Amino acid sequence: MNASNSSDDHVADIVFCVLNGVAFVVCLAAAILVFALRLHVKIVYRLSLYQVLAGIAVATAETLEIVFLNYDKSSQVYARLCIAIGFFVLYTQWMKVFFTMWVTFHLFCFAVLHKNLKKLEALYVVTSLLVPALFAIIPLITHTYHDSALGCYINKYNNTVTDEVAEIERLALWDVPAMVILFVVSTAMVAMVIKLTYRVCLRRKSEPITGADQFWKALKQLLPLAAFPIVFFVFVIPGPVRGMYLSTSTTVNESALFTVVVCIAMWGMASGASLIIHISVARLYCKNKRKRPLDVNSNYHTIKHTMDEPVVNVNMSSVTYFSLPEESAA
């Protein structure tokens, strides 16, 4: 976003950095809350924690763009800093994408396939930290990190490589893969909704009450994870769409650029905010549940009615219970 020195570009740069600063604070607050309440002992909250930590990294990288507002772009120091920040921005964005992809995979396997893959947590972390470096190092080798309309990023307007090479790199290293992952994530979410709706609406009558209760308990434990794929789809899709549009057109739409700027900042901010809201609502619910008074008369009538009914022998071998693995374990 530093392509010109106009006042409009400066305002957009300041808004971009301020929003990312707010996203940094929100994600940091969410991470502190998880540690303070010792929720990180549960796999669900650890996966959520990785998301907000990646959000902190993305917000930090984007906020560093503010140092270029009034910087001399002809200096060698600026060129080196721009390359370093461009690498950091692309790396952190892919790191957050990989954590989101693994969260979606974990959620899909647990909710649809009934597989508890918490043993793969180390694989989630290692691949999310190492694989993004492969994407970010290619523009570093080909010298395509340069000042652009979105700050220091892969830019096709520079004096070191041809426009075609830089444009292909931008499409191959972000726009096209991001759209593919967006499609996969959205398809997985739709499949989960269909599967859960089928179980709730069509099979609930044939399941014992204990099975349905266990299903809903497990489903509630997954609520914080479900927010991240949704946030990813809503706030990431404008960037790749704009990038693909620019590959076929030379017209720069300022409103589309501003939309991408806001969405990039809101990506991390929404992740941290959704986790904070979930933790707050869950704790408030548990607090109110503990304070709920016991209705003695209701319990008396229920017990009396049960004792008056004849005892019926039930063959438990013919009853099928719906069972999910215990997800809240460390």
Side-chain angles (χ1 to χ4, degrees):
M1 283 187 4
N2 303 309
S4 68
N5 294 322
S6 64
S7 58
D8 291 340
D9 288 331
H10 279 281
V11 171
D13 280 331
I14 293 173
V15 171
F16 183 52
C17 294
V18 169
L19 288 177
N20 277 286
V22 175
F24 176 88
V25 173
V26 173
C27 290
L28 181 62
I32 293 175
L33 189 62
V34 170
F35 282 114
L37 299 177
R38 297 184 59 82
L39 297 174
H40 60 281
V41 299
K42 300 180 180 180
I43 178 65
V44 170
Y45 288 101
R46 284 202 300 275
L47 294 178
S48 302
L49 181 63
Y50 300 147
Q51 279 286 326
V52 296
L53 291 178
I56 291 175
V58 173
T60 302
E62 301 290 356
T63 306
L64 290 175
E65 300 285 356
I66 200 171
V67 303
F68 298 128
L69 286 179
N70 296 300
Y71 210 96
D72 182 11
K73 299 178 183 178
S74 62
S75 67
Q76 291 294 323
V77 177
Y78 169 81
R80 293 189 179 95
L81 285 176
C82 190
I83 292 173
I85 291 180
F87 176 87
F88 191 32
V89 168
L90 187 59
Y91 172 80
T92 54
Q93 287 180 345
W94 268 116
M95 180 175 63
K96 187 160 174 49
V97 168
F98 267 85
F99 275 124
T100 304
M101 185 174 63
W102 283 124
V103 162
T104 307
F105 172 77
H106 186 86
L107 184 62
F108 178 84
C109 292
F110 184 73
V112 178
L113 304 180
H114 305 162
K115 301 291 184 180
N116 187 5
L117 301 179
K118 65 179 182 179
K119 293 182 179 179
L120 297 180
E121 181 182 356
L123 176 66
Y124 300 164
V125 176
V126 171
T127 54
S128 298
L129 293 177
L130 296 182
V131 177
L134 301 178
F135 288 89
I137 202 172
I138 294 177
L140 191 65
I141 297 174
T142 57
H143 306 287
T144 50
Y145 286 125
H146 197 71
D147 185 47
S148 68
L150 287 173
C152 291
Y153 203 66
I154 303 173
N155 187 22
K156 64 180 181 178
Y157 302 110
N158 58 75
N159 298 321
T160 57
V161 295
T162 61
D163 290 352
E164 291 77 11
V165 172
E167 186 170 343
I168 290 173
E169 282 188 2
R170 193 191 69 245
L171 290 173
L173 297 178
W174 178 252
D175 294 335
V176 174
M179 287 297 294
V180 172
I181 294 176
L182 280 167
F183 174 77
V184 173
V185 168
S186 59
T187 302
M189 291 299 293
V190 171
M192 282 185 277
V193 171
I194 294 175
K195 177 69 175 182
L196 296 177
T197 302
Y198 170 76
R199 176 163 294 280
V200 172
C201 297
L202 300 182
R203 298 187 60 185
R204 190 173 181 181
K205 293 182 179 180
S206 62
E207 292 177 351
I209 296 178
T210 55
D213 290 342
Q214 188 177 9
F215 170 76
W216 284 110
K217 180 181 178 181
L219 187 60
K220 288 178 182 178
Q221 293 173 350
L222 294 172
L223 285 179
L225 295 184
F228 299 118
I230 298 174
V231 168
F232 173 68
F233 179 82
V234 172
F235 293 111
V236 173
I237 194 170
V241 170
R242 177 182 176 274
M244 292 182 177
Y245 171 77
L246 290 178
S247 64
T248 59
S249 175
T250 57
T251 304
V252 178
N253 191 321
E254 294 296 334
S255 60
L257 176 62
F258 191 79
T259 301
V260 173
V261 165
V262 174
C263 287
I264 290 175
M266 291 298 297
W267 182 20
M269 192 187 307
S271 298
S274 64
L275 181 57
I276 292 175
I277 292 173
H278 170 79
I279 294 175
S280 302
V281 172
R283 286 182 64 82
L284 182 62
Y285 173 79
C286 294
K287 185 177 180 180
N288 292 336
K289 189 175 181 180
R290 286 194 298 266
K291 290 183 177 180
R292 189 176 300 170
L294 181 63
D295 191 346
V296 180
N297 294 328
S298 176
N299 290 337
Y300 170 76
H301 288 298
T302 302
I303 295 173
K304 184 177 183 302
H305 177 71
T306 304
M307 294 179 63
D308 290 341
E309 292 180 349
V311 178
V312 180
N313 294 324
V314 180
N315 184 9
M316 297 304 295
S317 62
S318 63
V319 179
T320 303
Y321 289 90
F322 174 78
S323 178
L324 282 177
E326 182 56 42
E327 182 67 11
S328 60

